[in-house]
Amino acid sequence: VHVRWAPVDWLVRDRFANAAKIDRVKAPALLLHGDRDALVSVANARQLHAARADSTLMIVAGAGHELVYSDAAQRAMAEWVDALR
């Protein structure tokens, strides 16, 4: 999306067709995304969530692509895991 001028098809072999693959995951799925992710649009997380209706989608306010390292994301993941019990 960000480098439409580059020969991305030649450079990147993985198509990241996650919406087509998400049904293969048999475990509960948490989709965690930052609303300020400049690399991957939050729309991608919404598409994944639509492709797997039983998934949990959490949008972390103020978080970017590196959200997994944030305190808010760590808390969200811990709460999600606790709710699985």
Side-chain angles (χ1 to χ4, degrees), residues 22-70:
I22 196 165
D23 279 340
R24 295 183 204 160
V25 177
K26 300 305 178 196
L30 171 62
L31 305 170
L32 192 63
H33 204 97
D35 69 350
R36 293 194 179 183
D37 190 330
L39 186 61
V40 178
S41 168
V42 75
N44 290 48
R46 295 188 197 287
Q47 287 174 345
L48 281 175
H49 183 53
R52 170 94 187 256
D54 67 337
S55 64
T56 301
L57 174 62
M58 291 183 185
I59 308 296
V60 179
H65 194 70
E66 71 296 335
L67 80 151
V68 73
Y69 302 108
S70 72

Side-chain angles (χ1 to χ4, degrees), residues 5-25:
W5 51 267
V8 176
D9 289 340
W10 294 356
L11 300 172
V12 180
R13 298 212 184 269
D14 192 332
R15 297 293 96 196
F16 298 101
N18 295 327
K21 299 173 186 174
I22 196 165
D23 279 340
R24 295 183 204 160
V25 177

